[in-house]
Amino acid sequence: MTDPNYTHMAFLLDASGSMASIKSDVEGGFDAFIADQRTQPGRCTVTLADFSGPGDYVVRYTGKDVAEVEPLSLHPRGMTALLDSIGRLITETGQFLAAMPEDQRPGLVIVGIMTDGLENSSQEWTHAGIKALIETQEQTYKWVFHYLGANQDAIEVGAGIGVRADASLTYAPAAAGSAMEAYSASLTSMRGAVARGEDVESARHGSAYTAAQRRKATKS
């Protein structure tokens, strides 16, 4: 039995060169997200990784208590090996959780992916492979995935990698902070529902992005 009062949040952040123009917005939005999650009841740990081109994947921290997460400092560079980076984050997060005794594992595992561009340089993973991996994690282990994408139709792109439409959010680059605000609200809703005894699937239904959040996230 997992711990319903424990949430693990794994976040994958695009650090390709195109993110330079919204660096401060992303940093501020992420920091506000962490500050918001600190105020929520229950235990919460965070894993953060960022990426650019092939082989450039950096784990900033793994399983850090949300109270100890430092302000984000993003260093944009390179291309966008999105698929390889998603594959690695999922694989390594699974290994991190598998090392815990079952009764100490989180009752809620949420994986967030934020990018401002499309896949252009992965060498190990395909869209089909990532879609199968995400669907397995959701169906077998009840993980929850969110996809935040700028300069694209995030619902369409998210569907191509197995992320549900209600958990995919298109954002304007200048509204990165609003996208993170909506993401945080969704996580807060899910954390509270699971802590109250709802199963993860039920908790998802009350945490879908609203029309108002979607409009706000696309205002440049």
Side-chain angles (χ1 to χ4, degrees):
M1 189 71 173
T2 57
D3 183 354
N5 293 305
Y6 173 25
T7 298
H8 180 66
M9 306 185 304
F11 199 79
L12 180 64
L13 182 58
D14 185 349
S16 61
S18 59
M19 293 288 282
S21 63
I22 59 172
K23 168 181 159 66
S24 60
D25 294 323
V26 171
E27 291 171 338
F30 184 83
D31 292 347
F33 156 65
I34 292 295
D36 186 28
Q37 293 305 309
R38 285 192 186 115
T39 69
Q40 307 306 315
R43 183 186 176 204
C44 181
T45 55
V46 185
T47 292
L48 175 65
D50 66 37
F51 71 96
S52 61
D56 186 0
Y57 176 93
V58 180
V59 179
R60 300 299 177 183
Y61 39 81
T62 300
K64 179 172 283 192
D65 190 284
V66 70
E68 300 175 358
V69 172
E70 61 269 19
L72 175 66
S73 179
L74 186 65
H75 303 285
R77 73 267 176 192
M79 299 179 74
T80 310
L82 178 62
L83 300 176
D84 286 355
S85 302
I86 294 173
R88 182 166 172 182
L89 179 72
I90 294 173
T91 301
E92 293 183 357
T93 298
Q95 293 169 345
F96 167 70
L97 298 174
M100 300 178 182
E102 185 176 359
D103 62 350
Q104 295 178 25
R105 291 175 189 164
L108 181 60
V109 178
I110 303 171
V111 179
I113 302 161
M114 186 175 198
T115 179
D116 77 330
L118 299 173
E119 158 65 42
N120 62 24
S121 58
S122 288
Q123 299 176 348
E124 300 176 12
W125 285 88
T126 63
H127 284 85
I130 291 298
K131 183 176 183 180
L133 180 62
I134 286 178
E135 289 175 345
T136 294
Q137 296 305 116
E138 287 212 331
Q139 295 167 10
T140 304
Y141 301 104
K142 308 306 178 185
W143 290 19
V144 176
F145 288 82
H146 280 246
Y147 181 78
L148 313 179
N151 302 313
Q152 61 192 270
D153 181 338
I155 292 178
E156 179 181 355
V157 176
I161 57 171
V163 180
R164 302 185 197 186
D166 62 2
S168 295
L169 181 68
T170 301
Y171 70 95
S178 295
M180 288 302 302
E181 180 182 13
Y183 178 64
S184 188
S186 181
L187 267 61
T188 295
S189 174
M190 279 189 286
R191 289 179 64 186
V194 170
R196 291 191 299 270
E198 292 187 30
D199 60 46
V200 172
E201 189 59 35
S202 295
R204 290 187 64 117
H205 289 305
S207 65
Y209 293 121
T210 67
Q213 287 171 328
R214 292 185 183 279
R215 285 193 298 270
K216 187 175 180 180
T218 53
K219 288 183 178 178
S220 57

